[in-house]
């Protein structure tokens, strides 16, 4: 049986949002998640961000839902197999933001 990741506390979620203000907290059908939307200067810069995101995702074995239209990127993140926000989501955002200089 797969070990569960610890859920984020309200304090940890607030700390994450304070540290990474591009991210927003949402809830849909009782499932909490985080979203980020960003408009890049160009399609190549958006694609470079997505390439870095792919490497972070693979290294952590954790993947966001991704929407990309030209220079706009929208991400939705939560731990799908637990239907909540976990420490894995926090680590993913932290790593992504470090690797992309946000």
């Amino acid at each position: 049986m797969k070990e569960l990741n610890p859920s984020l506390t309200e304090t940890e979620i607030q700390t994450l949002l304070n540290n990474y203000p591009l991210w927003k907290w949402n809830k849909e059908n009782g499932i909490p998640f985080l979203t980020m939307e960003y408009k890049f200067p160009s399609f190549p810069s958006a694609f470079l961000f997505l390439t870095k995101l792919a490497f972070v995702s693979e290294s952590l074995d954790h993947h966001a839902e991704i929407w990309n239209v030209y220079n706009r990127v929208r991400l939705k993140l939560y731990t799908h197999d637990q239907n909540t926000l976990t420490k894995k989501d926090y680590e993913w955002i932290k790593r992504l933001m470090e690797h992309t200089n946000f």
Side-chain angles (χ1 to χ4, degrees):
M1 184 172 166
K2 189 174 181 180
E3 186 176 324
L4 297 178
N5 292 293
S7 296
L8 291 178
T9 65
E10 287 185 31
T11 302
E12 289 170 321
I13 293 169
Q14 193 56 54
T15 299
L16 185 150
L17 296 173
N18 289 339
N19 290 339
Y20 306 105
L22 289 175
W23 289 88
K24 307 294 180 222
W25 182 88
N26 295 281
K27 195 171 200 176
E28 186 175 284
N29 299 321
I31 299 172
F33 59 92
L34 298 166
T35 58
M36 184 189 97
E37 295 187 38
Y38 196 78
K39 182 178 178 183
F40 292 86
S42 65
F43 175 71
S45 59
F47 202 85
L48 178 60
F49 171 81
L50 292 172
T51 301
K52 291 177 181 181
L53 179 150
F55 282 99
V56 168
S57 295
E58 286 297 299
S59 72
L60 294 173
D61 191 28
H62 194 52
H63 303 81
E65 296 177 22
I66 303 166
W67 293 268
N68 170 231
V69 177
Y70 185 61
N71 63 337
R72 296 174 192 265
V73 172
R74 182 166 46 108
L75 305 175
K76 179 179 180 181
L77 182 68
Y78 66 101
T79 304
H80 292 86
D81 58 354
Q82 292 179 232
N83 285 330
T84 194
L85 294 168
T86 68
K87 307 264 186 207
K88 200 169 192 178
D89 300 302
Y90 198 124
E91 181 60 26
W92 188 92
I93 289 172
K94 181 180 169 194
R95 285 276 244 354
L96 179 66
M97 297 296 99
E98 289 170 355
H99 284 77
T100 56
N101 300 316
F102 271 97

